[in-house]
Amino acid sequence: MFNQKMDSSSPLIYKINDVTYQKYNFYKKPYNREVFVIKDYGEDRGITDKSIALFEAVKDHFDRFKIAKIVREINKDNLLLDSDLILIDKKGNELHLSGCSCGYAGTGSHGTVEILNKAGFQIDRRFVFCSKGFTLFHPNEEKELYGERL
């Protein structure tokens, strides 16, 4: 999906509001241009409060988020792995939050609900608590693609 440009260097590390994150620049073929990806980094990875703080700190760098997803995968050792909550904006830029999850009623799922609702996805917590993984369109995007929700 990503092709790193030859002149692109390794990710840059930033610290903002006591949250450390990485920023990558990639050339994305579907958009035919360079986009950026922000991921939490170091000791801040996997901590729900830090993921929420990162979302708050960098959300203004993004256009309206149009897609949110969590993909759960089984690795070669048959272990279930959670992926990050990935938010994709209208321009193809991505925010990866490793402290957010789904499939249970714990802290990570509560963080996912909080971030999705702050991003305008209008999600009920039961959806996140019961999902093994999901791909959601923002309601505005969904309306453009499929019409009104029932």
Side-chain angles (χ1 to χ4, degrees):
M1 183 185 260
F2 294 117
N3 289 337
Q4 198 161 9
K5 277 188 158 180
M6 295 306 241
D7 60 340
S8 185
S9 59
S10 59
L12 299 173
I13 309 298
Y14 296 92
K15 188 162 186 143
I16 185 169
N17 299 340
D18 294 326
V19 179
T20 306
Y21 67 93
Q22 301 176 60
K23 186 174 182 181
Y24 298 84
N25 290 302
F26 291 102
Y27 185 82
K28 215 170 184 182
K29 282 186 178 181
Y31 295 98
N32 204 20
R33 63 181 166 75
E34 195 168 276
V35 298
F36 64 84
V37 176
I38 292 178
K39 296 182 175 188
D40 40 15
Y41 177 76
E43 294 177 2
D44 293 339
R45 281 199 51 75
I47 301 172
T48 303
D49 291 341
K50 294 289 189 171
S51 288
I52 294 169
L54 177 59
F55 171 79
E56 292 293 339
V58 300
K59 67 183 177 187
D60 293 335
H61 297 160
F62 293 87
D63 205 325
R64 180 178 52 79
F65 291 109
K66 70 176 190 172
I67 298 173
K69 63 183 178 178
I70 293 180
V71 180
R72 298 178 99 184
E73 300 174 359
I74 297 178
N75 72 4
K76 63 181 168 123
D77 299 322
N78 279 340
L79 296 174
L80 183 65
L81 302 174
D82 285 328
S83 75
D84 301 344
L85 169 62
I86 301 172
L87 299 169
I88 304 170
D89 75 2
K90 291 172 62 171
K91 295 178 180 175
N93 301 311
E94 298 181 9
L95 176 58
H96 294 234
L97 301 168
S98 65
C100 298
S101 58
C102 65
Y104 68 104
T107 306
S109 295
H110 279 89
T112 300
V113 171
E114 181 176 338
I115 288 169
L116 290 176
N117 286 324
K118 286 181 177 181
F121 283 87
Q122 304 170 358
I123 296 303
D124 185 84
R125 66 183 178 171
R126 288 173 294 177
F127 171 80
V128 174
F129 294 173
C130 297
S131 293
K132 293 181 181 175
F134 59 81
T135 299
L136 297 171
F137 290 98
H138 189 279
N140 293 351
E141 198 74 22
E142 188 175 71
K143 197 180 297 182
E144 290 173 20
L145 293 171
Y146 305 111
E148 292 289 329
R149 285 187 181 182
L150 298 175

